[in-house]
């Protein structure tokens, strides 16, 4: 029987029947046949500590004793209050307000609306948003507008708004990025720079130096342009620090976080902003209200999972686990750094990536799905972005599990070279 389910980023005409996952455990998914599949991409980058971390599971169970969804206007609740206090404490200093939503895309939409609202309410509206080439910020119309254009959004092009795009700071071309930003800012029309810090995820795990981010912040400040940092993927330790922008010594005006906010257990997102942005919306004039909400804003159970995530960060040696994983990743990647079958082996924190050298690269090249199938047969969840193979495992992954992933990457390259993939 065919299923009525329409899966995301899935070409059903090409995809084999899907196995059901019946259980999750640590760094693994267990399927209906009892096979343990190593979740080497943290279930699309959300799972940080590991699946079903006991502290987070208990917090969810306990929250269900008291709450389900509660309207988040007129009333508040302790899980949202406690999480907001914790977020303000753990985020870079100066981000004093927390606006909740429920996905990475929506927290970026909220950020864009905050930035435009800030200038609108200040009586000097600005109409442009600046972004970086190869960026990804989500799949809603607004976030697609800000993201890289291509096959993913070609059909929706008529609805997408124009943005100013900075060239990616490839090694040796960092100054071009900064100069382009300076030129855009000089128009006086750029409300905000929206950017992924240190690594562009869906755009191919492209890394750039922290110094570029700090220089961009300096330019933004000089022109009164706000900086929105999209930490949806990078947040919660992925790049080695809690938030990646810390490594650049940058406090953005607006910070977006989602994926790892609940340890990856439940959907929740938060947009943090400065008092300046909050205050621009503070008025006895109702027209200055921040007009945004989704039905499930600040779901108490999700917020309780977020509080539990903060507890794990506070009470468990998460930093040590991340450093250990960084070491394991470095060791695993090292055998490929001068391997001619691969290019650009790179690492930032707990994330590694390398490009399989292929005649035709790009997301739609056949090699992506073929690699995916190859890994699936070996009980590894690894989803290359075209020819870019990356590993972003949960922090509880063991050396043996990770070793299996690197062995499979090696084997996949051998199969590819032999024309057997
Ligand atoms: C995943 C991601 C998003 C979108 O998050 P969703 O929860 O899938 O909407 C936004 N920005 C970045 C950097 C991401 O990696």
């Amino acid at each position: 029987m065919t299923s009525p389910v329409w899966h995301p980023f899935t070409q059903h005409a090409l995809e084999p029947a899907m196995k059901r996952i019946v259980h999750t455990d640590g760094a693994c998914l267990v399927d209906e046949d009892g096979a343990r599949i190593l979740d080497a991409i943290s279930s699309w980058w959300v799972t940080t500590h590991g699946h079903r971390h006991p502290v987070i599971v208990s917090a969810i169970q306990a929250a269900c004793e008291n709450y389900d969804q509660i309207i988040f206007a007129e009333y508040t609740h302790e899980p949202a209050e406690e999480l907001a206090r914790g977020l303000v404490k753990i985020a870079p200093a100066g981000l004093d307000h927390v606006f909740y939503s429920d996905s990475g895309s929506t927290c970026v939409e909220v950020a864009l609306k905050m930035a435009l609202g800030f200038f609108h309410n200040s009586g000097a509206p600005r109409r442009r948003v600046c972004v970086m080439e190869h960026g990804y910020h989500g799949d809603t119309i607004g976030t697609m507008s800000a993201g890289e254009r291509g096959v993913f959004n070609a059909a929706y092009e008529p609805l997408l708004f124009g943005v100013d795009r900075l060239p990616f700071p490839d090694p040796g071309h960092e100054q071009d990025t900064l100069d382009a930003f300076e030129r855009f800012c000089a128009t006086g029309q750029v409300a905000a720079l929206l950017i992924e810090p240190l690594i562009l995820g869906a755009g191919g795990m492209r890394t750039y130096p922290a110094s570029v981010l700090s220089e961009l912040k300096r330019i933004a400040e000089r022109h009164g342009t706000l900086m929105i940092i999209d930490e949806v993927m990078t947040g919660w330790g992925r790049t080695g620090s809690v938030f990646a922008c810390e490594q650049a010594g940058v406090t953005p005006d607006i910070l977006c976080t989602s994926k790892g906010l609940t340890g990856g257990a439940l959907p929740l997102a938060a947009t943090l902003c400065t008092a300046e942005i909050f205050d621009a919306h503070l008025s006895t004039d109702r027209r200055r209200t921040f007009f945004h909400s989704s039905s499930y804003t600040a779901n108490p159970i999700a917020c309780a999972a977020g509080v539990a995530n903060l507890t794990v960060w506070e009470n468990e040696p998460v930093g040590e686990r991340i450093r250990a994983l960084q070491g394991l990743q470095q060791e695993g990647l090292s055998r490929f750094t001068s391997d001619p079958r691969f290019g650009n082996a790179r690492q930032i924190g707990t994330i590694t990536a390398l490009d399989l050298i292929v005649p035709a690269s790009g997301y739609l090249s056949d090699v992506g799905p073929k690699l995916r199938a190859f890994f699936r047969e070996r009980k590894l969840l690894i989803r290359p972005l075209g020819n870019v193979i990356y590993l972003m495992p949960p922090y509880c992954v063991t050396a043996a599990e990770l070793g299996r992933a690197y062995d499979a990457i090696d084997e996949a390259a051998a199969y590819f070279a032999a024309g057997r993939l």
Side-chain angles (χ1 to χ4, degrees):
M1 204 188 82
T2 59
S3 162
V5 176
W6 192 345
H7 288 264
F9 275 88
T10 298
Q11 180 41 268
H12 283 273
L14 295 172
E15 203 71 11
M18 293 181 186
K19 285 258 187 264
R20 277 160 211 242
I21 298 300
V22 295
H23 185 78
T24 63
D25 176 28
C28 290
L29 312 178
V30 182
D31 75 13
E32 53 193 319
D33 304 327
R36 289 178 68 83
I37 299 148
L38 178 64
D39 187 355
I41 61 163
S42 297
S43 279
W44 260 340
W45 320 345
V46 302
T47 312
T48 49
H49 312 293
H51 287 280
R52 287 190 314 111
H53 188 291
V55 172
I56 296 173
V57 170
S58 312
I60 292 169
Q61 287 168 337
C64 290
E65 293 295 316
N66 289 316
Y67 308 106
D68 56 2
Q69 176 63 30
I70 308 163
I71 187 170
F72 204 56
E74 279 185 69
Y75 293 94
T76 191
H77 48 75
E78 189 51 25
E81 295 293 336
E82 190 178 351
L83 178 57
R85 286 194 301 271
L87 286 175
V88 167
K89 222 166 91 188
I90 203 168
L95 295 168
D96 293 335
H97 296 273
V98 177
F99 191 95
Y100 289 112
S101 56
D102 35 35
S103 75
S105 302
T106 51
C107 75
V108 174
E109 295 275 355
V110 164
L112 292 173
K113 285 174 73 170
M114 280 180 177
L116 271 286
F118 170 81
F119 287 102
H120 179 83
N121 290 349
S122 311
R126 294 189 180 193
R127 48 182 69 249
R128 302 294 296 180
V129 172
C130 190
V131 301
M132 189 176 271
E133 183 189 6
H134 304 305
Y136 176 80
H137 301 285
D139 284 335
T140 54
I141 297 292
T143 56
M144 276 193 297
S145 301
E148 183 77 358
R149 303 294 168 85
V151 63
F152 306 100
N153 41 46
Y156 327 113
E157 177 69 32
L159 292 184
L160 305 185
F161 56 78
V163 294
D164 298 326
R165 287 177 202 279
L166 305 180
F168 185 79
D170 282 315
H173 296 273
E174 294 86 353
Q175 194 58 43
D176 297 344
T177 306
L178 303 177
D179 292 346
F181 188 44
E182 185 80 55
R183 278 197 305 277
F184 287 131
C185 284
T187 63
Q189 280 302 315
V190 182
L193 170 65
L194 166 63
I195 192 169
E196 297 164 83
L198 310 192
I199 176 166
L200 276 52
M205 299 295 160
R206 295 167 201 258
T207 58
Y208 67 90
S211 57
V212 171
L213 194 62
S214 42
E215 282 305 316
L216 288 170
K217 176 69 170 126
R218 256 189 284 281
I219 296 169
E221 270 171 16
R222 216 166 344 99
H223 293 276
T225 293
L226 301 174
M227 184 181 249
I228 304 170
I229 294 197
D230 178 352
E231 294 260 12
V232 171
M233 180 189 83
T234 48
W236 305 103
R238 290 285 181 206
T239 69
S241 46
V242 178
F243 292 109
C245 63
E246 294 166 30
Q247 294 178 46
V250 163
T251 295
D253 301 281
I254 304 177
L255 183 148
C256 305
T257 177
S258 182
K259 292 182 172 133
L261 174 55
T262 58
L266 285 175
L268 183 68
T271 308
L272 279 67
C273 74
T274 59
E276 205 185 355
I277 292 169
F278 178 82
D279 290 346
H281 291 82
L282 196 61
S283 170
T284 50
D285 181 350
R286 284 210 183 82
R287 285 171 302 183
R288 288 179 165 226
T289 304
F290 186 54
F291 293 109
H292 190 93
S293 175
S294 27
S295 309
Y296 286 98
T297 292
N299 175 271
I301 299 160
C303 286
V307 172
N309 174 46
L310 288 174
T311 308
V312 172
W313 273 88
E314 204 170 303
N315 295 348
E316 296 185 17
V318 180
E320 271 169 48
R321 284 177 202 151
I322 286 171
R323 274 188 296 282
L325 175 53
Q326 254 176 252
L328 289 177
Q329 283 281 63
Q330 194 178 349
E331 197 186 310
L333 191 67
S334 63
R335 71 204 238 202
F336 299 109
T337 45
S338 48
D339 186 328
R341 302 171 300 172
F342 294 99
N344 199 14
R346 53 204 181 273
Q347 174 176 13
I348 177 159
T350 69
I351 308 168
T352 55
L354 67 178
D355 307 345
L356 182 65
I357 307 289
V358 294
S361 62
Y363 184 87
L364 287 190
S365 95
D366 285 352
V367 72
K370 283 180 179 166
L371 286 168
R372 198 148 58 69
F374 178 90
F375 293 127
R376 190 167 55 238
E377 277 168 30
R378 284 154 187 79
K379 310 296 175 211
L380 292 163
L381 172 53
I382 299 176
R383 290 177 62 96
L385 299 156
N387 64 320
V388 178
I389 303 173
Y390 70 91
L391 298 180
M392 194 190 303
Y395 309 151
C396 66
V397 73
T398 65
E401 287 168 330
L402 208 52
R404 214 160 68 69
Y406 281 106
D407 287 347
I409 291 172
D410 204 345
E411 200 189 351
Y415 267 60
F416 181 75
R420 291 173 62 198
L421 200 65

